[in-house]
Amino acid sequence: MALAACSREYPQSALHPTADFGDQIDVLFRTIFWWAVGVFVIVEAALLFVLFRYRDRPGAADPKRVHGHTLLEVAWTLAPAVVLVFIAVPTIRTIFRTEAAPPADALTVEVIGHQWWWEFRYPDLGLVTANEMHVPQGRAVVLSMTSEDVIHSFWAPKLGGKRDVLPGRTTRIVFTPDSIGEVYGQCAEFCGESHANMRFRVMVDAPEVFALWADRQLQPAVPVDSLDEPLRQGAQVYLTKGCLACHAITGVSAGVLGPNLTHVGSRTTIASGILPNTPEGLTRWLRNPVGEKPGSLMPQIPLTDDEMALLVAYLQSLN
Ligand code: HEC
Ligand SMILES: [Cu+2]
C-alpha cells in the first residue's frame, strides 16, 4: 500500500488540485490532517506514559482505582467536543466560501447528465458539446447542472468537490482553473448499468486557445451537397441509417437524444471517455455500442464494411 502511494499516475487525485475550489478543500484537508496528527501524538504519548509508569512490578501494591470522578468525566467529554469545534469552524467556512456567488464575468457552462454521457452547453456562446468540456485558464467558471433522467454526480477531483446532478433541480459548482491541461472526472453517483463508464474530461486551455476552440465549435457543418466524395457518401450513410433521429449536426440533422456530433472529430475520446476517437475506436463503437457500454441507449445499427469506413471517415471530418 505504501508503494502504491508513490505511483506517478494520479489523474483523479484530489491531493493535486488545479483550481481554487480544489485548493480550498486541500487546505482544509491538510489542516485537519495535521491537527489529527497532533491529537494522535498526545493520546499515544499519554497512553505509553500510563503503560510504563503504572505497569505491574513484582511486589508493587495495586494502583488506586478511580470511580465517579466528576472533573475527569467532564474533561474527557469536553475534549472531543473542543476537537470537533476545531474541525467544524474551518469546514463550515469552506462550505460557505465554495458556495459563494460567482463573479460577474464568469463563464457559464450548463452541465446535463444523461445515462451515460455528459452534455455541455455554453449559453453565452451558443455552443453545445459532449463529454469534453473546454474552459479558459484563469477565468471563473460556473457549472449550472441538471439531469435528463436519474441522479448523477459531477466530480473532477482536481478541480473541486463533487456535487449531485439532479433531475428537475439546478445545482452549481464555481471554480477558477489555474493550470493548463486535461482534468479527468466521472459520475460519482450510481446511476445504472454504465455508471462506471460515465466519464468526462475538462480541458483547461490558454484563453486564446479557448477562443479559437469556441470559434471553431460555432462553425456549422459543411452542407452534405457541398462535400467531396467520398465524404458525401459517408454523410449519406449517416442520413439513411437512422443516425439523424438521435444526433444533431448543425445544418444536417437535429436529433436530441444523443451527443451533438457537429464537431465530434475535435474530441479526443468518444462515448464519455471509454474509447479513443480514432477510426478504430469509432468502428468499435458503431459496431456494437451496447457491447462497449452496457445498457447504452445507442442501438446497434447493421452496416456493411464499406458503409462503416465511409461513415467513420465522415465523422472524423467533423472537426
Ligand atoms: C436511438 C438513438 C440513436 C441512434 C439511432 C444513433 N445514436 Fe449514436 N448515440 C446515441 C446515444 C444516446 C449516445 C451516447 C451513448 C453513450 O455515450 O452512452 C450516442 C453516441 C454516439 C457517438 C459518440 C459521441 C461522443 O462524442 O461520445 C457517436 C460517434 C455516434 N453516437 C454516432 C452515431 C451514428 C453514426 C449513428 C448512425 C449509424 C448513430 N449514432 C445512431 C443515440 C443514438
Ligand atoms: Cu451518472
Side-chain angles (χ1 to χ4, degrees):
M1 275 173 71
L3 283 179
C6 302
S7 151
R8 302 284 314 158
E9 291 297 318
Y10 28 67
Q12 296 206 123
S13 169
L15 297 175
H16 299 90
T18 58
D20 58 340
F21 187 177
D23 287 340
Q24 292 184 40
I25 294 173
D26 194 51
V27 167
L28 177 67
F29 168 71
R30 282 170 204 273
T31 309
I32 292 175
F33 174 79
W34 287 115
W35 288 345
V37 168
V39 170
F40 177 80
V41 168
I42 292 169
V43 170
E44 291 306 301
L47 178 66
L48 290 175
F49 172 76
V50 170
L51 283 179
F52 283 106
R53 176 72 183 75
Y54 298 105
R55 74 179 190 275
D56 193 18
R57 292 185 176 85
D62 275 0
K64 197 174 101 206
R65 283 162 201 275
V66 180
H67 275 295
H69 194 299
T70 314
L71 186 66
L72 265 182
E73 284 176 8
V74 169
W76 71 50
T77 307
L78 273 186
V82 170
V83 170
L84 288 184
V85 168
F86 268 80
I87 293 175
V89 170
T91 302
I92 292 169
R93 200 168 51 204
T94 306
I95 291 174
F96 276 91
R97 273 197 197 141
T98 58
E99 297 271 4
D105 68 339
L107 173 72
T108 301
V109 183
E110 290 170 3
V111 174
I112 302 159
H114 297 263
Q115 279 174 318
W116 290 273
W117 59 283
W118 298 92
E119 185 173 356
F120 302 126
R121 297 176 163 267
Y122 297 65
D124 310 331
L125 306 173
L127 72 84
V128 184
T129 185
N131 302 323
E132 291 181 4
M133 179 197 302
H134 284 249
V135 293
Q137 177 201 24
R139 178 167 168 201
V141 179
V142 188
L143 304 183
S144 173
M145 312 191 295
T146 188
S147 165
E148 267 302 290
D149 36 54
V150 300
I151 299 177
H152 303 277
S153 180
F154 185 96
W155 194 26
K158 288 184 161 198
L159 296 178
K162 61 172 169 270
R163 246 163 233 172
D164 277 5
V165 176
L166 307 147
R169 215 167 108 180
T170 305
T171 48
R172 195 176 71 182
I173 291 180
V174 181
F175 65 89
T176 306
D178 57 33
S179 25
I180 292 171
E182 263 183 55
V183 177
Y184 286 51
Q186 67 177 72
C187 180
E189 179 75 61
F190 182 68
C191 60
E193 257 180 298
S194 266
H195 162 63
N197 294 324
M198 193 171 161
R199 306 172 204 166
F200 60 87
R201 278 155 209 239
V202 179
M203 315 300 209
V204 181
D205 300 330
E208 53 291 358
V209 174
F210 174 78
L212 286 175
W213 173 82
D215 268 0
R216 190 99 195 86
Q217 297 290 310
L218 284 171
Q219 304 298 316
V222 179
V224 175
D225 291 334
S226 322
L227 286 169
D228 295 331
E229 301 297 346
L231 290 183
R232 208 182 58 78
Q233 281 168 281
Q236 287 304 334
V237 177
Y238 176 85
L239 289 174
T240 53
K241 294 292 173 181
C243 320
L244 79 177
C246 298
H247 290 287
I249 296 181
T250 313
V252 177
S253 71
V256 292
L257 208 93
N260 187 305
L261 299 180
T262 313
H263 293 280
V264 65
S266 71
R267 305 203 261 273
T268 63
T269 58
I270 52 163
S272 72
I274 65 165
L275 287 168
N277 192 4
T278 56
E280 298 74 40
L282 277 167
T283 307
R284 264 177 71 179
W285 173 250
L286 297 173
R287 280 259 175 270
N288 191 1
V290 182
E292 298 299 329
K293 197 170 191 179
S296 173
L297 299 179
M298 169 149 160
Q300 186 177 18
I301 294 171
L303 298 168
T304 65
D305 286 349
D306 286 348
E307 287 168 340
M308 180 65 85
L310 290 167
L311 181 57
V312 165
Y314 174 61
L315 292 173
Q316 292 244 289
S317 76
L318 300 170
N319 55 23

